[in-house]
Amino acid sequence: MKKIILTLICLTSGLLYNFFAAHSIKNDPVITPHRVLEIGLIYANPNNAAINLPEETILSLGISGHQKLVKENKIPESKPLTVIDFSLPSSEKRMWIIDVVSGLVLHYGYVSHGRNSGDLMAKRFSNVSSSYMSSLGFYLTAETYQGKHGYSLRLDGLEPGFNDKARERAIVIHGADYAKEEFIQTTGRLGRSLGCPALPSEEAKEVIDLIKENSLLFIYAKDARYLDESPILNT
């Protein structure tokens, strides 16, 4: 049975490869067959059937950065890729942790954005201390620590001008009661952080242990300046 399932996944991935090759490569000249295949694996994995997956364009950008940094030996290929889509409202689940080797989504959940980035929607972004805004781009996860929010994970921004001040701004992943679904039922949106991607408190430890120490985090939004000038996406 396991062999049959794996065969079906491979066949489906092949069909998806052909589909994306026909529809995406012509619109994105830097997309590679390897990148399309990884996207195909994510969409083809049967364990992801009940999940609203990220848009293909967003996955393509995240996997592009992942492949680039693996090639530069900055991250191990075996580490998961975390994608946060701030083009979605905070009332929707918009964080995915993905095993890019198997295509399995390891976690799908809520995440808060910064107080001054917006209310329901994150619309403004900053790399400046005390801006209380979220920052876009690729991050490397670092060490864990116990802080005022409990078990937390430090982040190092990899993109100068967009998120490279993350450590000095204390932009970290941590749990928070205002990031729970119950908060949405009361206010129509999640509560907001001081710029950190905050998670439901009961999920924080599991998520942090899954992605800590040298895995890649990609925070996306439909921000023209970032998409046009990202040092990782445009080299």
Side-chain angles (χ1 to χ4, degrees), residues 128-169:
V128 177
S129 295
S130 299
S131 66
Y132 301 150
M133 294 186 196
S134 298
S135 301
L136 300 178
F138 290 92
Y139 298 76
L140 199 61
T141 64
E143 74 276 12
T144 61
Y145 71 100
Q146 288 289 339
K148 64 180 181 180
H149 297 289
Y151 191 53
S152 305
L153 176 64
R154 296 195 192 279
L155 301 172
D156 290 308
L158 299 177
E159 304 205 69
F162 291 100
N163 63 20
D164 60 322
K165 304 296 184 184
R167 185 171 283 261
E168 67 182 68
R169 291 180 62 204

